[in-house]
């Protein structure tokens, strides 16, 4: 067990362009794991049409989108909370749920811990092991939960958070295994938060909708990664109606703009783009994984998401390789500051074939020389 420290994020193409004195169009961003096929064409058209509503405040209830999401997941609209990205909802959870101590399965996204720290709470990490390929340690998690006193004043923890598939490792758990965690948590009086931001790439591993029909389980989802809408900032949570209401009460008014609401609705409807995106990712992820495995001295870990965790050769620091590639206009994610990972670890998004080949060629050349 260890306390989680803060780490940064990928995807800052604006800062990189300023520092390099170039335009964003000349950069290839592997640091942000966004659908390489981009947004649904329907989504873009809906966003443009929504410009007609810009002179008005957006719907503060996000009613139409909540109804569409409720139909998608076969739940009630009252169980849906739409936010300004799932990160907004992550930061609302500690106060909305009165959390004091959160157990997080890591290595993982830094905002979970930051949200708890900002709310004055405590975070404990249960780390996956490199020797296990960073597979989520669910057996250890269940053992820890079973030994935790039922929630009361001074209890060890009052909530468990699991990112599935996990970022930045790319590893995931079967839905039945996560539901085992949910059932034990209910018996122990613990809440469970499951971040399924990347689950659209492996829908069979989602615990929706059954897990949120009763008990204290919250599932986070996003339109950023799979649906390719990071610039619009839109995500959502599914939870029991009472929990969802507490989250909505703490949101600032008009949290989600009108173009974002319209684009998200259209994205849900475009099943052709959904199928095309999944098929593309299955093919290109496998191909890129094979190429990464050929890099001398590198270890490429399995992934069910749209990115890979890569460990560089011994003596080769992630910061040096990241900077070297950045100068070539190739942005990757330095994961050396992520607790539970080492200083040779990077994350690489799966992009289109030609871009992936450009990255591999650049890395092959860089790894021929010392990079410490």
């Amino acid at each position: 067990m260890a306390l989680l420290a803060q780490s940064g994020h990928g995807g800052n193409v604006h800062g990189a362009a300023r520092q390099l004195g170039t335009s964003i169009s000349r950069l290839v961003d592997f640091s942000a794991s966004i659908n390489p096929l981009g947004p649904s064409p329907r989504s873009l058209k809906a966003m443009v049409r929504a410009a007609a509503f810009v002179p008005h405040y957006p719907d503060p209830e996000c009613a139409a989108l909540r109804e569409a999401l409720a139909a998608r997941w076969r739940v009630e609209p009252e169980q849906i909370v739409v936010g300004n990205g799932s990160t907004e909802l992550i930061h609302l959870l500690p106060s909305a749920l009165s959390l004091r101590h959160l157990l997080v399965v890591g290595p993982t996204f830094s905002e979970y811990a930051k949200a708890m720290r900002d709310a004055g709470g405590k975070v404990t990490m249960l780390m996956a092991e490199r020797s296990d390929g960073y597979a989520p340690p669910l057996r250890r998690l269940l053992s820890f939960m079973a030994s935790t006193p039922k929630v009361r004043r001074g209890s060890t923890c009052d909530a468990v958070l699991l990112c599935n598939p996990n970022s930045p490792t790319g590893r995931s758990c079967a839905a039945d295994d996560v539901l085992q965690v949910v059932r034990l948590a209910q018996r122990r009086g613990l809440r469970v938060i499951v971040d399924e931001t990347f689950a659209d790439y492996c829908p069979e591993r989602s615990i929706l909708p059954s897990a949120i029909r009763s008990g204290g389980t919250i599932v986070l989802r996003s339109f950023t990664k799979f649906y390719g809408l990071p610039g619009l900032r839109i995500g959502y949570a599914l939870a029991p109606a009472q929990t969802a209401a507490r989250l909505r009460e703490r949101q600032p008014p008009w949290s989600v703009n009108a173009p974002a609401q319209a684009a998200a609705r259209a994205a849900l409807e475009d099943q052709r783009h959904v199928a095309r995106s999944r098929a593309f990712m299955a093919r290109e992820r496998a191909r890129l994984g094979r190429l990464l495995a050929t890099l001398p001295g590198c270890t490429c870990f399995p992934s069910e998401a749209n990115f890979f965790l890569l460990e560089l050769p011994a003596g080769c620091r992630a910061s040096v390789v990241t900077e070297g590639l950045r100068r070539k206009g190739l942005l990757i994610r330095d994961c050396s500051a992520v607790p539970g990972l080492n200083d040779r670890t990077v994350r690489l998004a799966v992009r289109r074939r030609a871009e992936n080949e450009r990255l591999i060629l650049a890395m092959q050349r860089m790894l021929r020389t010392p990079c410490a």
Side-chain angles (χ1 to χ4, degrees), residues 12-308:
N12 188 1
V13 292
H14 305 280
R18 286 193 296 270
Q19 291 170 2
L20 294 170
T22 189
S23 66
I24 291 174
S25 63
R26 296 181 67 85
L27 302 176
V28 185
D29 188 12
F30 291 88
S31 72
S33 46
I34 309 302
N35 186 340
L37 301 187
S40 154
R42 289 193 196 179
S43 191
L44 294 176
K45 290 177 182 177
M47 181 180 66
V48 172
R49 289 195 299 270
F53 298 101
V54 169
H56 306 283
Y57 284 102
D59 177 6
E61 303 296 328
C62 298
L65 178 55
R66 285 170 58 203
E67 288 175 5
L69 287 166
R72 165 69 179 84
W73 295 115
R74 304 187 304 279
V75 298
E76 296 301 320
E78 290 74 20
Q79 294 179 270
I80 308 285
V81 186
V82 180
N84 189 254
S86 58
T87 303
E88 179 194 42
L89 303 175
I90 289 168
H91 280 264
L92 293 176
L93 283 168
S95 61
L97 304 182
S98 301
L99 300 182
R100 302 182 302 274
H101 190 168
L102 180 66
L103 175 65
V104 179
V105 179
T108 195
F109 188 43
S110 64
E111 290 299 321
Y112 309 136
K114 185 178 187 303
M116 282 298 293
R117 284 196 304 267
D118 290 349
K122 181 180 179 182
V123 176
T124 296
M125 292 294 295
L126 181 66
M127 291 293 189
E129 300 291 340
R130 186 205 177 281
S131 58
D132 294 328
Y134 295 112
L138 289 197
R139 184 174 297 179
R140 284 193 287 130
L141 174 61
L142 290 167
S143 177
F144 180 86
M145 292 168 60
S147 65
T148 299
K150 288 191 175 182
V151 172
R152 60 179 183 269
R153 188 179 300 278
S155 65
T156 305
C157 68
D158 44 21
V160 176
L161 192 147
L162 174 70
C163 183
N164 190 45
N166 182 54
S167 177
T169 66
R171 303 305 303 271
S172 69
C173 310
D176 286 346
D177 293 336
V178 179
L179 289 172
Q180 188 177 358
V181 172
V182 168
R183 288 190 290 269
L184 179 57
Q186 290 175 348
R187 293 197 297 271
R188 306 304 297 174
L190 302 170
R191 291 187 180 273
V192 176
I193 303 162
V194 182
D195 189 342
E196 291 191 349
T197 292
F198 296 97
D200 288 292
Y201 285 110
C202 49
E204 73 282 357
R205 293 181 177 258
S206 173
I207 60 171
L208 291 175
S210 59
I212 56 111
R213 286 180 174 149
S214 62
T217 303
I218 300 97
V219 176
L220 298 168
R221 283 269 178 156
S222 175
F223 286 94
T224 291
K225 311 298 185 180
F226 182 81
Y227 292 103
L229 298 173
L232 291 182
R233 308 307 307 131
I234 184 162
Y236 61 102
L238 299 98
Q242 185 177 12
T243 301
R246 290 169 66 180
L247 280 167
R248 285 193 295 271
E249 288 170 1
R250 286 161 174 80
Q251 284 185 287
W254 310 294
S255 176
V256 182
N257 66 70
Q261 293 183 40
R265 285 178 61 202
L268 285 175
E269 296 167 358
D270 194 347
Q271 289 304 304
R272 180 180 178 184
H273 190 70
V274 166
R276 182 168 170 252
S277 297
R278 285 185 182 137
F280 172 88
M281 185 53 58
R283 292 192 306 270
E284 191 58 23
R285 179 177 57 206
R287 198 182 73 87
L288 179 58
R290 290 192 295 269
L291 292 173
L292 290 169
T294 67
L295 293 175
C298 292
T299 301
C300 182
F301 296 96
S303 175
E304 287 79 38
N306 59 333
F307 55 84
F308 283 101

